Amino acid sequence: MTSTLTMSRNLTTKLLAAMSYLGILSLVPLVVNREDPYVRFHARQGIVLWMWEVLAIYSLVFPGLGRLFFGISSLLCFVFSLIGLVAVFTGRAWKLPLIGNWAENI
C-alpha cells in the first residue's frame, strides 16, 4: 500500500481499525471515522471477512460439504483476523489474500 497508510497512528485510530476484524463490529469504524483512509481500509476488509463468516454459518444448512466449508472458512477467517489485527497494531495496511481485492470494491 501507499506510505500514507503506514504512518504512525494514534490509539483511537488503531482501536477503531482493530474493531474491523471483530465480526459485526466492523461496521462501527466505517460509521464513526469514515474519513480516515487507514480506518476505511481496515473496515472494508473487515466487512468482507464478516460477510464470509456469515456465509460459512449459512453453509451449515448443507450436510457434509457445508460442514467442511464451515470448518475451513472458520479457520481461515480466524487466521485472517489475527493477521489484520497484527497489521493494525504495527501501523500497516496489509492487503489480505482473497479479501483485499473484494474490499477495494466496497
Side-chain angles (χ1 to χ4, degrees):
M1 269 335 277
T2 62
S3 61
T4 58
L5 292 178
T6 59
M7 294 186 317
S8 175
R9 303 287 171 202
N10 65 26
L11 184 60
T12 305
T13 302
K14 283 186 177 184
L15 288 176
L16 280 172
M19 287 177 71
S20 300
Y21 298 103
L22 302 177
I24 196 165
L25 293 177
S26 61
L27 298 173
V28 173
L30 212 52
V31 172
V32 173
N33 198 358
R34 172 170 247 167
E35 299 81 33
D36 187 348
Y38 182 74
V39 172
R40 191 171 54 242
F41 173 83
H42 288 290
R44 287 177 177 174
Q45 287 195 142
I47 288 171
V48 172
L49 190 60
W50 175 60
M51 291 183 338
W52 184 4
E53 292 167 356
V54 170
L55 178 67
I57 290 170
Y58 281 115
S59 74
L60 288 172
V61 172
F62 304 103
L65 286 178
R67 291 189 112 181
L68 178 66
F69 179 75
F70 176 78
I72 293 170
S73 292
S74 296
L75 180 64
L76 285 174
C77 288
F78 178 73
V79 169
F80 286 155
S81 292
L82 285 179
I83 292 170
L85 287 170
V86 167
V88 165
F89 288 114
T90 58
R92 296 198 170 118
W94 291 333
K95 191 190 249 187
L96 294 173
L98 303 174
I99 293 174
N101 290 334
W102 289 343
E104 289 177 349
N105 296 327
I106 293 179

